[in-house]
Amino acid sequence: MNLENNKYQDQSLFSITWPLFIEITLHMSLGIFATLILSGYSDNAVAGVGVANQIINIFILIFNVTVIGTTILIGQNLGANRLDRARRLTRSAFGVNFWVGIFMTIVVILFGGVFLKFYGLSGEIYEFAHTFLTITGFSLILEAISLALSAILRSYGHTKETMVVTVFMNIISLIGYFIAIKGWFGLPITGVAGVSYSIIAARIFLIFALFYFVYKVLDLKFSIKDLFIIDKTDVKDILTIGIPSAGENISYQLSQVVITSFVAVIGDGALAARVYILNISMVCFLFTFAIAQGTQLLIARYIGAKHYDRALKRGIKTLKISMIVSTVVSLAIALTGEPVLAVFTNDPIIIAIGLPVLWAIVFIEPGRAMNIVLMGSLKSVGDVRFPVIIGIICMWGVAVVFSYFFGITLGLGLLGIWLAQGLDEWVRGIFALKRWVSQAWLKKKGVEPRLG
């Protein structure tokens, strides 16, 4: 079937990905800077906030049920020239995420302390975690709306706008962090509570800025009616894709909750080292994450246009690039391990725990790249159940089981836990590669193109 190309089918990976790369870099950098600033305040604060952030991330992944489904469906409809349906999906996504955000905000505020008990935290670490979770929990509704708006802009290829917003949001956050921890401008040091309020202020700015860009570049203005009149077909289609797609990520975060409890058993030093290592490892898969997101947007459009061979080749090309880059970056970090860790902490125990883990990351990252790129590509073509099934089996049957076996039973500590998670990434990545190359996903029915 011949289909007239539109601008959405022909947009290049580079034009989509470079703003995504900068945006994701800024997001991750903010987390790293926050950790650095907090480390000057207290290692226990770092550990507490790190655990609380895991819980916040689980709820954000629930919001991503809508976001993933919306991104894929809008992309497929743009590729199929069904521009009217794509526009309707934007309103449905906004309405759904608003109500889910309200509900999740209430849940965190009422039961945040209960969630923290699962980690076995106590003393000062628990107090820091509870403070952070309680305050930032109020802004989950803002996060839910911002994720929907960002997904809408990215789906249409407007990644530069979300990048610009992220730049200013980071500036607001960092100023707030320094005021809270360093007492800038002669203001009192408020610690973890001040950092939490800074996050809320930044998210308020984010909401207003995203509403502005959605209206400016898409000529799309939301109203109260969009919160109460939501197309049922859109919701069904979004959830059909979004629930299994996000299920993989939710399973990952839940498995991390269990694994973190293993780390807590090892000791407070291992818990703090884990937070620092997680921030460092973000640098390793930063490029992979950005190019994988850009690839997902393009593949969804190719599927909508029935350009299946183009989609297949795009996935493989992205995979090769991401595996090479992630390996080189992780190796460079491992070779400069001690100076890198010294940026975060001067505690010799934490540094000693972290150094061998940095070398384990060199083993992990190529497998993670395979997993991120190809599982994301499978979701874009509508093959959404495979990633979550493999994910649940491997995360719990490999990552969790072997984290306990290597880390606790064999006494390898944090290194053993990281090796187990690397094994999980490689197993899932190999399954994804086999699925992608076999083209079993061609059996999935995409959006029917509109000619002309």
Side-chain angles (χ1 to χ4, degrees):
M1 176 182 291
N2 292 323
L3 179 65
E4 179 185 347
N5 283 357
N6 60 37
K7 63 179 181 178
Y8 299 112
Q9 295 166 19
D10 293 332
Q11 194 171 10
S12 70
L13 179 63
F14 179 78
S15 68
I16 292 176
T17 299
W18 76 260
L20 282 174
F21 178 76
I22 294 174
E23 180 185 350
I24 296 169
T25 300
L26 291 171
H27 269 302
M28 292 185 175
S29 297
L30 182 61
I32 293 171
F33 279 121
T35 302
L36 280 170
I37 296 168
L38 276 173
S39 67
Y41 178 71
S42 164
D43 281 333
N44 283 344
V46 172
V49 170
V51 171
N53 254 328
Q54 273 201 346
I55 296 173
I56 292 291
N57 287 338
I58 289 172
F59 286 98
I60 289 174
L61 287 173
I62 293 173
F63 304 149
N64 274 327
V65 169
T66 305
V67 170
I68 294 171
T70 300
T71 302
I72 293 171
L73 283 173
I74 289 178
Q76 290 185 355
N77 278 277
L78 291 177
N81 274 334
R82 294 188 173 275
L83 307 185
D84 51 345
R85 174 82 197 286
R87 199 167 182 83
R88 194 182 75 198
L89 283 162
T90 64
R91 298 189 180 278
S92 299
F94 172 72
V96 171
N97 254 31
F98 175 85
W99 291 113
V100 174
I102 289 286
F103 178 74
M104 293 305 169
T105 299
I106 294 171
V107 169
V108 170
I109 292 171
L110 293 179
F111 302 105
V114 176
F115 298 143
L116 288 172
K117 293 294 184 182
F118 286 113
Y119 290 87
L121 303 182
S122 61
E124 193 176 38
I125 292 180
Y126 173 83
E127 294 302 323
F128 283 131
H130 189 262
T131 297
F132 184 84
L133 185 60
T134 301
I135 296 173
T136 55
F138 278 99
S139 67
L140 278 177
I141 174 61
L142 303 178
E143 185 71 13
I145 295 172
S146 68
L147 284 171
L149 297 176
S150 295
I152 291 166
L153 286 169
R154 290 193 194 102
S155 297
Y156 279 87
H158 294 292
T159 51
K160 293 179 185 176
E161 286 75 9
T162 57
M163 177 196 70
V164 170
V165 171
T166 301
V167 170
F168 287 100
M169 184 187 76
N170 277 22
I171 292 172
I172 294 170
S173 298
L174 285 174
I175 291 173
Y177 294 168
F178 277 109
I179 291 174
I181 302 301
K182 304 295 184 182
W184 274 14
F185 311 119
L187 294 171
I189 294 175
T190 52
V192 171
V195 168
S196 305
Y197 287 120
S198 300
I199 291 172
I200 292 177
R203 285 176 177 170
I204 290 172
F205 162 80
L206 179 64
I207 287 293
F208 282 105
L210 288 173
F211 271 124
Y212 168 76
F213 278 120
V214 166
Y215 175 71
K216 181 181 178 182
V217 301
L218 298 179
D219 194 26
L220 184 62
K221 190 173 183 180
F222 296 101
S223 65
I224 298 296
K225 180 179 70 174
D226 295 319
L227 302 178
F228 297 97
I229 302 176
I230 304 173
D231 190 279
K232 293 180 180 178
T233 302
D234 288 347
V235 174
K236 179 184 176 183
D237 290 345
I238 288 171
L239 295 182
T240 297
I241 292 177
I243 289 176
S245 296
E248 180 198 2
N249 293 329
I250 293 171
S251 176
Y252 175 78
Q253 288 297 331
L254 291 175
S255 69
Q256 289 300 303
V257 171
V258 176
I259 291 171
T260 302
S261 70
F262 299 161
V263 179
V265 170
I266 297 170
D268 289 350
L271 201 58
R274 177 184 176 278
V275 176
Y276 296 137
I277 295 293
L278 283 174
N279 279 279
I280 293 169
S281 66
M282 287 180 186
V283 177
C284 300
F285 63 80
L286 172 62
F287 176 82
T288 295
F289 203 62
I291 198 172
Q293 282 195 15
T295 299
Q296 279 184 268
L297 293 173
L298 288 182
I299 286 178
R301 296 175 187 178
Y302 297 158
I303 293 301
K306 307 298 183 186
H307 296 163
Y308 300 127
D309 189 56
R310 194 177 180 187
L312 174 67
K313 290 178 179 177
R314 179 67 270 164
I316 296 299
K317 286 180 182 178
T318 297
L319 172 63
K320 292 177 181 177
I321 295 169
S322 62
M323 289 186 74
I324 292 170
V325 172
S326 62
T327 301
V328 171
V329 173
S330 59
L331 184 59
I333 289 175
L335 289 170
T336 55
E338 191 164 350
V340 170
L341 283 169
V343 172
F344 292 89
T345 181
N346 56 9
D347 188 322
I349 296 175
I350 294 176
I351 292 175
I353 292 171
L355 281 175
V357 178
L358 292 181
W359 283 102
I361 289 174
V362 180
F363 155 70
I364 293 171
E365 289 310 317
R368 193 200 304 271
M370 195 185 306
N371 182 18
I372 291 174
V373 171
L374 295 183
M375 287 300 189
S377 297
L378 287 169
K379 293 172 188 175
S380 290
V381 303
D383 192 2
V384 294
R385 288 182 174 82
F386 180 83
V388 70
I389 291 171
I390 295 299
I392 291 173
I393 293 171
C394 292
M395 290 169 200
W396 296 93
V398 178
V400 172
V401 170
F402 283 94
S403 286
Y404 187 87
F405 179 67
F406 291 158
I408 307 298
T409 305
L410 296 184
L412 294 176
L414 194 63
L415 174 61
I417 287 174
W418 235 270
L419 288 172
Q421 292 182 90
L423 185 61
D424 161 51
E425 295 285 359
W426 272 101
V427 171
R428 282 191 286 146
I430 291 169
F431 271 111
L433 178 61
K434 183 177 180 181
R435 181 78 166 186
W436 186 253
V437 173
S438 73
Q439 300 184 59
W441 42 270
L442 283 175
K443 300 173 184 177
K444 306 297 175 181
K445 183 176 176 63
V447 177
E448 287 300 319
R450 174 175 291 168
L451 298 176

